[in-house]
Amino acid sequence: MNILLINPIIRVWEPPSFPLGLAYIGRALLEAGRHVEVLDINAHRWTPNEVAVKIREGTFDVVGITCMLTEYNQVKWLCSLLKRERPSCTIILGGGLPSVVPELVLQETEADISVVGEGESTVTELADILEKSGDISTVRGIWYKKNGAIFSTPPRAAISSVDSIPFPSWELFPIETYIKRGSVLGFDPPIRRMKLVTSRGCTYHC
């Protein structure tokens, strides 16, 4: 099974920040033996036409898209594009917005599944079941579409040991692009830097 992970543009007026959550998902899938590729729109700032060509020419069975509120319109467009170009692909949404309003994003987009909360265990389990054309209703922590209706499964418990989570899949992303755009100006030579997240989950109280 070939899995494509997509990182949409968060804010067009800001330099891209590394998509740490998506990189954790990538590592979990790689360690489960999956073939994973990344379409990092936020890093490369590809145009809609360029994105469409890459999707048209890609080889994948399942697509995972990270989604925050500021990415909603782009994610909605991506889902429509994917279903038009690859009608048989399964689209999984993860991240902040699907975790907060999982049913709504399925109602308003052409995505198939919303992952609620931490996704490492959920997506690897989903990949196994989708490959075997099994019953995804057995997977905890998701909302999904079936025969035009939307269903949910019981919540998945949080990962109890953060140390059990493998390091992010840095190699799947254009790291130099993130380092270059995160460099501090006014220093000679420039300081190479990236943002570091030292906690699990959102740091705010939205």
Side-chain angles (χ1 to χ4, degrees):
M1 175 177 286
N2 296 322
I3 300 176
L4 177 67
L5 300 179
I6 300 181
N7 182 33
I9 297 174
I10 299 177
R11 300 176 185 88
V12 295
W13 59 88
E14 286 185 358
S17 296
F18 187 77
L20 195 60
L22 202 62
Y24 277 118
I25 296 299
R27 178 64 68 208
L29 290 167
L30 288 171
E31 293 208 346
R34 301 298 172 187
H35 179 265
V36 182
E37 293 186 2
V38 170
L39 195 67
D40 198 338
I41 306 170
N42 195 35
H44 295 288
R45 301 299 167 102
W46 288 311
T47 66
N49 286 339
E50 289 173 320
V51 173
V53 169
K54 292 181 182 299
I55 287 176
R56 194 174 301 124
E57 295 177 348
T59 303
F60 50 85
D61 309 291
V62 175
V63 181
I65 309 175
T66 183
C67 182
M68 293 174 59
L69 178 59
T70 54
E71 298 166 312
Y72 169 72
N73 286 334
Q74 188 177 181
V75 169
K76 186 173 183 178
W77 169 76
L78 280 167
C79 290
S80 297
L81 174 65
L82 286 160
K83 287 299 185 180
R84 184 172 71 246
E85 298 293 340
R86 300 294 179 87
S88 62
C89 78
T90 300
I91 302 175
I92 304 172
L93 299 183
L97 190 60
S99 290
V100 175
V101 285
E103 183 178 15
L104 182 63
V105 293
L106 292 183
Q107 291 172 342
E108 298 298 325
T109 73
E110 294 185 53
D112 301 292
I113 301 169
S114 287
V115 173
V116 177
E118 295 174 305
E120 288 88 350
S121 300
T122 306
V123 294
T124 52
E125 190 176 340
L126 274 172
D128 289 339
I129 291 178
L130 289 171
E131 186 175 44
K132 300 171 185 175
S133 299
D135 183 7
I136 64 172
S137 68
T138 61
V139 180
R140 285 179 170 268
I142 65 170
W143 289 65
Y144 64 97
K145 291 177 181 175
K146 183 177 181 181
N147 299 326
I150 296 176
F151 302 90
S152 65
T153 66
R156 182 179 294 271
I159 297 174
S160 58
S161 174
V162 176
D163 289 339
S164 69
I165 304 170
F167 284 102
S169 52
W170 307 103
E171 71 276 14
L172 294 179
F173 297 83
I175 293 298
E176 284 299 322
T177 297
Y178 285 102
I179 292 175
K180 181 179 179 181
R181 294 187 178 182
S183 295
V184 179
L185 301 179
F187 290 86
D188 187 18
I191 297 175
R192 292 164 56 81
R193 71 172 186 175
M194 283 180 61
K195 291 182 179 179
L196 177 67
V197 178
T198 59
S199 62
R200 188 76 167 165
C202 183
T203 57
Y204 302 101
H205 301 283
C206 304

